[in-house]
């Protein structure tokens, strides 16, 4: 805890942060390691109150770390072992002075030691202890031992308050809430809670990449898993031998979240993945997906056709469902009946009839489609075409005047023709029914807060097939890393697209049984921009990096 706690409590009383009644209440309840710890746990005082009181008494400035961007050069100026040993966070590096945040300015031995070990003269400021702990976990996790990481996370649990803290489960309730809140604040799409041999690892998937953010003692596993299962209201806390699925509805700030929960038994206990579905993303329009104006105009024309099939292709996690939802939002009008068949229904869309596939009771994609066609819809969205029966019903629906949206798993747009043929669809039906196929990938966007002018290496220029002429008007950017983007240089993702329109000439080629390479070659001659070419446009516009585009696309010569 803090040094000289009795003196600190006196200061808190003098400052009006706590009164004698609150102190007596904590003494009466007991069960705490110290009186100050009890005051914090029972919310009689806050960490901010403590930090402000100590800052005033010590002649230091108070700093709310959450409201400032930590200087990357400051973090690099202090070795991880030093920061962890003395529990200090470097905030600003002026070159001649280092602003350092500490939680306990009354610990004079630590202050003297820090002055001797730092390479630059420190100026101390006082910050809440939990903020110090979180920054250490965020910036120096790679330098931590499992014991240090576990102790820091245990410290963060220890200060979680609330009147219900008298109960043994209260810290776990607070911990789970903290995990959900932190994941939401960091724009995570998934939360991974994984039991390992010596630790309980917490990771968030942010902008498509996994980041280790917390580590806890394995002794917390059972309680954390049980709390999550209880929150779903449908998962059994007694059953740990088989996988289970559930759903949690939560509110974070002004946002309503759906969390799809999946557990699976592993060697060291149950592993949990929670997928975060933010309903605010339902308001996404086509521009927010990453379309440039020309592709947006083309795509907008396609989704307003009276009939036919529009396919969106790409691997799992490439944003296909989000694109289809954006399409439906764009064309959802009172004079149109729209029905979707999904597995699972990820978001509830206002004004749209959504059908959940339940294969265990015979409610397959095909069975659902046969029924909904009798509902006289204008527009149908099929979560995925998986087999010949589903594909045949979709094609028949499109040929009888319905507009059908669906997805396929293929690497590029022209390959979707061969994929449909592989599952048994006659090519003349593909040529007649399909109006357009769009392949897509997701790339990370450069963080606007720390973006600076950049340049491409010769290797990157060769990989993207760029000439010196193309580089003359380029606006190359790179993210140097900041607190906003967790020092990654990226914030958010956007799509890159390959739009393959099935024109009359392309229909003849499909009927003529042309190979996929020949279809792709002719499509490019007719103006189709490949995934990599669209990615290059976004690199030259300063929206993403060359490495991102190379990572998610094949070379056009492949």
């Amino acid at each position: 805890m803090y040094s000289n706690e009795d003196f600190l409590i006196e200061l808190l009383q003098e400052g009006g942060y706590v009164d004698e009644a609150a102190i007596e209440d904590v003494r009466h309840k007991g069960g705490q390691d110290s009186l100050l710890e009890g005051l914090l746990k029972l919310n009689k005082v806050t960490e901010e109150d403590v930090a402000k009181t100590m800052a005033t008494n010590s002649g230091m400035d108070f700093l709310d770390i959450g409201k400032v961007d930590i200087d990357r050069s400051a973090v690099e100026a202090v070795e991880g072992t030093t920061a962890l040993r003395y529990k200090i966070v470097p905030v600003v590096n002026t070159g001649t002075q280092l602003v350092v945040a500490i939680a306990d300015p009354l610990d004079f031995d630590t202050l003297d030691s820090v002055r001797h070990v730092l390479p630059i003269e420190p100026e101390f400021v006082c910050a809440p202890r939990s903020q110090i702990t979180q920054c250490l976990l965020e910036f120096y996790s790679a330098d931590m031992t499992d014991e240090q990481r576990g102790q820091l996370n245990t410290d963060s649990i220890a200060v979680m308050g609330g009147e219900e803290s008298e109960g043994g489960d209260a810290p776990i309730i607070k911990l789970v809430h903290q995990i959900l809140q932190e994941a939401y604040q960091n724009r995570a799409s998934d939360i991974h809670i994984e039991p390992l041999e010596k630790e309980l690892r917490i990771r968030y998937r942010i902008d498509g990449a996994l980041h280790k953010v917390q580590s806890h003692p394995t002794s917390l596993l059972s309680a954390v898993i049980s709390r999550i299962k209880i929150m779903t209201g449908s998962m059994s806390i007694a059953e740990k031998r088989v996988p289970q699925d559930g759903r949690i509805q939560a509110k974070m700030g002004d946002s309503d979240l759906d969390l799809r929960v999946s557990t699976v038994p592993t060697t060291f206990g149950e592993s949990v993945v929670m997928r975060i579905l933010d309903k605010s993303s339902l308001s996404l329009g086509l521009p927010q997906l990453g379309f440039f104006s020309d592709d947006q105009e083309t795509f907008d024309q396609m989704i307003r056709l009276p009939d036919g099939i529009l396919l969106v292709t790409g691997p799992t996690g490439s944003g296909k469902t989000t694109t289809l939802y954006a399409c439906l939002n764009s064309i959802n009008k009172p004079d149109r009946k729209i029905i979707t068949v999904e597995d699972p229904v990820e978001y509830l869309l206002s004004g749209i009839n959504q059908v959940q596939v339940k294969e265990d009771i015979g409610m397959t994609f095909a069975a659902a489609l046969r029924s909904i066609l009798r509902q006289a819809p204008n527009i149908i969205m099929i979560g995925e075409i998986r087999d010949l029966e589903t594909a045949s019903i979709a094609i028949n629906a499109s040929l009888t005047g319905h507009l059908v949206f669906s997805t396929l798993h293929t690497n590029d747009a022209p390959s979707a023709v061969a994929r449909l043929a592989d599952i048994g669809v006659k090519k003349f039906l593909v040529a007649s029914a399909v109006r357009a196929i769009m392949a897509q990938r997701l790339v990370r966007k450069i963080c606007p807060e720390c973006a600076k002018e950049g340049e491409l290496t010769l290797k990157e220029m060769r990989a993207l097939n760029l000439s010196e002429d193309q580089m003359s008007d380029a606006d190359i950017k790179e993210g140097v890393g900041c607190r906003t983007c967790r020092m990654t240089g990226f914030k958010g993702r956007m799509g890159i697209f390959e739009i393959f329109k099935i024109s009359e000439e392309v229909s003849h080629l499909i009927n003529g049984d042309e190979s996929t390479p020949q279809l792709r070659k002719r499509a490019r001659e007719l103006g189709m921009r490949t995934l990599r070419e669209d990615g290059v446009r976004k690199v030259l516009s300063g929206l993403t990096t060359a490495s991102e585009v190379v990572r998610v696309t094949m070379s056009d010569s492949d």
Side-chain angles (χ1 to χ4, degrees):
M1 290 297 290
Y2 300 94
S3 58
N4 206 342
E5 289 191 356
D6 292 339
F7 175 57
L8 181 52
I9 291 173
E10 289 181 13
L11 293 176
L12 288 167
Q13 284 182 279
E14 291 174 6
Y17 292 109
V18 65
D19 57 27
E20 189 62 37
I23 293 173
E24 287 303 316
D25 185 39
V26 173
R27 285 198 178 109
H28 175 71
K29 289 180 177 177
Q32 313 297 338
D33 292 338
S34 72
L35 180 57
L36 182 57
E37 180 185 346
L39 290 169
L40 287 166
K41 279 189 175 182
L42 296 179
N43 283 341
K44 304 299 184 181
V45 293
T46 67
E47 284 194 313
E48 186 173 320
D49 297 336
V50 173
K52 286 180 176 178
T53 299
M54 288 195 293
T56 300
N57 182 74
S58 305
M60 292 183 187
D61 289 333
F62 167 78
L63 178 68
D64 184 346
I65 298 179
K67 295 181 179 178
V68 299
D69 287 331
I70 291 181
D71 187 348
R72 184 174 184 177
S73 67
V75 174
E76 294 172 347
V78 178
E79 293 184 359
T81 51
T82 300
L84 293 167
R85 178 180 179 183
Y86 296 108
K87 291 185 171 57
I88 59 173
V89 174
V91 180
V92 177
N93 183 1
T94 66
T96 58
Q97 194 172 56
L98 195 65
V99 178
V100 175
I102 61 171
D104 188 358
L106 300 181
D107 185 355
F108 301 115
D109 289 340
T110 293
L111 296 183
D112 289 339
S113 298
V114 171
R115 286 191 179 97
H116 284 95
V117 299
L118 290 185
I120 305 175
E121 177 65 24
E123 177 188 343
F124 292 107
V125 294
C126 186
R129 188 183 60 180
S130 60
Q131 293 186 358
I132 298 285
T133 299
Q134 188 58 43
C135 286
L136 292 174
L137 288 165
E138 184 174 337
F139 296 122
Y140 296 108
S141 181
D143 299 305
M144 294 179 189
T145 64
D146 290 338
E147 183 179 355
Q148 285 176 317
R149 189 177 292 109
Q151 183 58 51
L152 283 172
N153 280 292
T154 300
D155 289 346
S156 71
I157 297 173
V159 300
M160 296 174 187
E163 289 299 327
E164 72 272 27
S165 292
E166 295 171 78
D169 292 338
I172 297 301
I173 294 172
K174 297 286 187 179
L175 173 60
V176 172
H177 178 75
Q178 179 197 59
I179 291 170
L180 298 181
Q181 188 172 48
E182 186 181 66
Y184 170 71
Q185 291 171 343
N186 284 284
R187 304 171 291 102
S189 59
D190 306 295
I191 302 170
H192 295 250
I193 301 175
E194 303 160 319
L196 305 180
E197 184 177 6
K198 296 181 179 180
E199 64 174 326
L200 177 60
R201 181 173 66 181
I202 313 295
R203 295 193 292 174
Y204 302 152
R205 189 180 298 279
I206 304 171
D207 297 332
L210 278 171
H211 300 268
K212 181 176 178 177
V213 292
Q214 297 181 28
S215 177
H216 298 283
T218 55
S219 58
L220 295 180
L221 173 63
S222 179
V224 169
I225 302 299
S226 295
R227 173 58 186 166
I228 292 170
K229 288 181 175 180
I230 289 170
M231 291 174 71
T232 68
S234 61
M235 300 171 71
S236 170
I237 62 174
E239 182 56 78
K240 301 179 180 180
R241 301 165 298 172
V242 297
Q244 295 187 64
D245 294 294
R247 201 160 195 159
I248 297 172
Q249 290 188 329
K251 191 173 183 66
M252 294 290 172
D254 295 328
S255 297
D256 293 318
L257 304 182
D258 275 344
L259 294 95
R260 282 171 46 198
V261 182
S262 171
T263 66
V264 63
T266 67
T267 305
F268 299 107
E270 288 181 284
S271 175
V272 178
V273 174
M274 292 185 280
R275 185 176 181 190
I276 302 174
L277 306 174
D278 184 358
K279 294 181 180 180
S280 64
S281 65
L282 292 179
S283 60
L284 284 178
L286 297 182
Q288 286 75 40
L289 296 178
F291 284 108
F292 278 157
S293 56
D294 53 351
D295 280 345
Q296 183 181 331
E297 183 178 352
T298 300
F299 193 65
D300 194 58
Q301 291 172 354
M302 294 189 305
I303 66 175
R304 297 180 192 282
L305 292 171
D307 55 39
I309 296 177
L310 174 62
L311 294 173
V312 180
T313 76
T316 300
S318 59
K320 300 186 297 296
T321 302
T322 300
T323 295
L324 290 182
Y325 280 154
C327 293
L328 296 183
N329 270 332
S330 180
I331 60 178
N332 184 16
K333 307 295 182 197
D335 62 343
R336 296 171 181 165
K337 185 177 180 76
I338 302 175
I339 302 182
T340 73
V341 182
E342 305 172 63
D343 183 22
V345 173
E346 294 193 358
Y347 299 100
L348 297 178
L349 301 171
S350 177
I352 293 177
N353 301 276
Q354 295 172 267
V355 178
Q356 168 74 55
V357 168
K358 296 179 181 178
E359 295 195 358
D360 55 335
I361 61 171
M363 188 64 161
T364 62
F365 273 106
L369 282 170
R370 283 193 296 269
S371 298
I372 69 172
L373 286 175
R374 293 192 286 271
Q375 297 283 311
N378 303 104
I379 300 165
I380 301 168
M381 193 269 271
I382 306 169
E384 181 185 349
I385 293 179
R386 299 179 178 177
D387 51 45
L388 177 58
E389 187 176 12
T390 303
S392 298
I393 296 172
I395 287 174
N396 288 334
S398 71
L399 294 176
T400 54
H402 301 85
L403 181 59
V404 180
F405 296 96
S406 192
T407 70
L408 275 178
H409 289 280
T410 63
N411 287 328
D412 61 8
S415 297
V417 175
R419 171 66 181 142
L420 289 171
D422 287 343
I423 63 177
V425 180
K426 302 296 183 184
K427 284 197 171 182
F428 77 89
L429 289 174
V430 176
S432 302
V434 179
R435 297 287 181 262
I437 305 166
M438 185 178 76
Q440 72 175 60
R441 298 290 189 277
L442 293 176
V443 293
R444 292 182 291 177
K445 295 191 293 185
I446 295 171
C447 174
E449 299 296 326
C450 62
K452 70 169 188 176
E453 296 297 324
E455 59 182 24
L456 299 184
T457 64
L458 186 59
K459 182 179 179 181
E460 289 172 331
M461 290 178 62
R462 287 174 177 168
L464 299 180
N465 198 25
L466 285 169
S467 65
E468 291 291 344
D469 290 340
Q470 289 174 290
M471 294 296 297
S472 61
D473 296 326
D475 181 23
I476 306 299
K477 291 281 199 313
E478 63 179 352
V480 297
C482 64
R483 187 170 175 80
T484 300
C485 62
R486 297 178 59 86
M487 310 302 289
T488 63
F490 297 99
K491 184 179 180 183
R493 291 190 289 176
M494 67 188 305
I496 57 175
F497 307 98
E498 178 177 284
I499 302 175
F500 179 33
K501 298 197 317 188
I502 310 298
S503 63
E504 186 174 345
E505 180 179 346
V506 172
S507 293
H508 287 310
L509 293 175
I510 295 173
N511 281 323
D513 206 25
E514 287 285 357
S515 66
T516 297
Q518 288 299 319
L519 278 178
R520 183 175 178 81
K521 179 181 177 182
R522 185 55 185 150
R524 294 186 67 187
E525 291 171 352
L526 293 172
M528 183 187 80
R529 189 180 293 110
T530 66
L531 285 166
R532 178 155 289 192
E533 287 169 342
D534 191 43
V536 166
R537 291 203 300 169
K538 285 157 185 173
V539 171
L540 298 179
S541 298
L543 300 174
T544 189
T545 64
S547 59
E548 277 294 290
V549 173
V550 171
R551 179 178 64 86
V552 302
T553 64
M554 299 183 298
S555 169
D556 291 329
S557 61
D558 290 348

